[in-house]
Amino acid sequence: MNIALVTLHADPARGGAERYTVDLATGLARRGHDVSLLASSFAQAIDGVRFITVAAEGFKRVGRYRRFLDHLDAHLADTKYEIVHAMLPVRQCDVYHPHAGIAAEAIGNPRTLFNPRRRAMAGLERKLLMGKTGPVVLCLSEYIKGYVKKHYPLPDEQLVTLFNAVDLNRFEPETRHSRVEVKALFIGQDFVRKGLRPAVVAISMLKDPRVTLTVVGKRNWKIHLPFPFIRFVGHSPDTRPYYAEADFFVLPTKHDPCSLVVLEALAMGLPVISTKFNGACEIMTDGVHGFVLDDPNDVGALADAMRKMMDPERREAMSKACLELRPKLSYEHHLDRLVGIYEKVLGGRTG
């Protein structure tokens, strides 16, 4: 199958959506598909994947986005693909995969009030989805499907839930040895949305010298007070060692379509504390695989969940339950479903 994957930046270091696109290109190429990756920038070569640079020049982000769309349209006019799979709002595609969530939902967020690019994305998304022949919308979770239905009266057959997946060969669990220290782990780039501050406050409320928090991500949050129990390691291209050394994972996010780091933690046997505003938690059972909080700002409930994680027997039972989820997180299963969706799109076009 001749497939074009479209993203602004093909750089795994930028986060889940970009990393997913690179991993997807790799996986599809390994299966023998003819894969082209269309982006404005690339971080690394991928065996069997053709890189197509889609220029995004300009001084402002909204201008660069519009130039990206112009160059993308020109390329698609000259080069035909069986499937165009876009990770962001574009003017034409067969499959729309909004990893950051529906752009229309962001318009009501005060943080995007003065964000011209987000408003441009929302307007384009509406034109794309409400057109006569709109694309199939891949929803990362039922949580995100609810947002799609909130903004767009699309038929059920146009909406497909495709849960994120994990490379189980890469995220293979290791034996954890008992120790006095209990290590919590936080991985994220947007510290505000992902809930780093509530996590720090909650741990400080425990007043337990055994617990420490390792934070992996850009150091874009200024801390003015000394927190000896926090270790900032900055960005890391390889997060697996941090999962391997941790005892539980914490991500009190305010909004996450389907957090890949949560799924990776579960695959590694790490109990997770997150929130109902994270689509990845749909695979979890509260109290079995960790804890799913109702309110990301409720530091009391978060501290209570962390306090329960201090029990080694509870963590061990939860870890075993997490490892039982591994078959459901298989990347091969994910690819099987996705290729089936591609084939259905092609069948509907020729049928």
Side-chain angles (χ1 to χ4, degrees):
M1 198 178 302
N2 186 8
I3 304 165
L5 303 177
V6 182
T7 186
L8 268 177
H9 303 283
D11 181 1
R14 286 177 170 264
E18 289 81 0
R19 182 148 59 95
Y20 170 85
T21 308
V22 170
D23 289 345
L24 177 60
T26 303
L28 290 171
R30 285 177 181 169
R31 289 193 169 201
H33 296 285
D34 184 1
V35 181
S36 296
L37 189 49
L38 282 55
S40 63
S41 64
F42 303 89
Q44 61 194 50
I46 304 174
D47 290 342
V49 176
R50 184 182 304 106
F51 283 4
I52 307 294
T53 299
V54 180
E57 68 273 9
F59 294 106
K60 296 183 178 180
R61 297 178 72 194
V62 64
R64 291 195 296 271
Y65 172 56
R66 287 171 175 156
R67 292 301 294 159
F68 176 85
L69 297 174
D70 292 340
H71 289 300
L72 176 64
D73 287 347
H75 174 74
L76 294 179
D78 292 336
T79 307
K80 301 303 178 184
Y81 299 95
E82 292 177 280
I83 293 291
V84 176
H85 180 166
M87 312 299 168
L88 74 163
V90 295
R91 292 171 183 146
Q92 53 181 314
C93 65
D94 304 294
V95 176
Y96 175 50
H97 203 167
H99 284 264
I102 289 296
E105 183 67 18
I107 295 303
N109 189 329
R111 294 178 64 191
T112 64
L113 183 62
F114 301 104
N115 189 329
R117 189 176 75 163
R118 291 300 296 177
R119 294 202 303 271
M121 284 183 167
L124 184 57
E125 179 185 81
R126 176 162 293 278
K127 290 181 180 179
L128 176 69
L129 297 187
M130 298 307 294
K132 292 183 179 179
T133 57
V136 168
V137 182
L138 295 188
C139 306
L140 274 70
S141 58
E142 292 299 312
Y143 169 63
I144 288 302
K145 183 182 284 188
Y147 279 114
V148 178
K149 290 184 174 181
K150 172 184 173 182
H151 291 280
Y152 303 110
L154 301 178
D156 288 341
E157 58 269 20
Q158 196 175 340
L159 302 175
V160 179
T161 300
L162 183 67
F163 215 65
N164 264 336
V166 176
D167 182 348
L168 298 184
N169 292 324
R170 178 184 175 195
F171 293 96
E172 182 71 26
E174 292 184 2
T175 302
R176 286 183 168 80
H177 303 286
S178 60
R179 58 174 179 257
V180 174
E181 185 182 24
V182 178
K183 296 185 177 183
L185 175 65
F186 175 103
I187 300 177
Q189 301 299 336
D190 184 345
F191 288 170
V192 174
R193 178 167 60 88
K194 301 288 186 175
L196 178 57
R197 186 175 294 276
V200 170
V201 173
I203 285 186
S204 67
M205 290 171 62
L206 298 183
K207 301 185 184 304
D208 192 326
R210 294 174 298 163
V211 66
T212 61
L213 175 66
T214 297
V215 178
V216 182
K218 293 185 297 184
R219 296 195 65 169
N220 57 0
W221 188 51
K222 295 181 180 179
I223 298 181
H224 301 290
L225 298 175
F227 288 100
F229 54 84
I230 300 180
R231 176 175 63 132
F232 280 93
V233 298
H235 166 70
S236 175
D238 182 11
T239 54
R240 187 189 178 283
Y242 299 105
Y243 293 120
E245 70 177 20
D247 294 297
F248 68 91
F249 188 83
V250 58
L251 194 80
T253 181
K254 297 176 182 177
H255 172 72
D256 244 310
C258 186
S259 174
L260 189 56
V261 291
V262 162
L263 302 186
E264 290 169 349
L266 294 171
M268 292 284 289
L270 273 184
V272 169
I273 301 174
S274 192
T275 74
K276 69 178 184 180
F277 301 99
N278 186 347
C281 292
E282 292 172 12
I283 200 171
M284 294 173 56
T285 298
D286 183 45
V288 175
H289 306 103
F291 299 101
V292 182
L293 307 178
D294 290 330
D295 183 355
N297 297 310
D298 188 345
V299 293
L302 179 55
D304 184 58
M306 291 180 175
R307 191 173 291 111
K308 292 175 181 177
M309 286 292 190
M310 301 302 290
D311 180 357
E313 292 184 0
R314 185 194 298 270
R315 290 201 311 272
E316 183 179 1
M318 286 184 167
S319 179
K320 290 179 179 177
C322 292
L323 293 177
E324 292 174 358
L325 294 175
R326 281 175 62 86
K328 296 181 180 180
L329 298 172
S330 165
Y331 199 76
E332 292 305 312
H333 174 68
H334 179 89
L335 287 175
D336 288 341
R337 285 211 60 219
L338 182 58
V339 170
I341 293 167
Y342 288 166
E343 291 173 344
K344 188 173 181 180
V345 170
L346 287 173
R349 189 186 302 158
T350 58

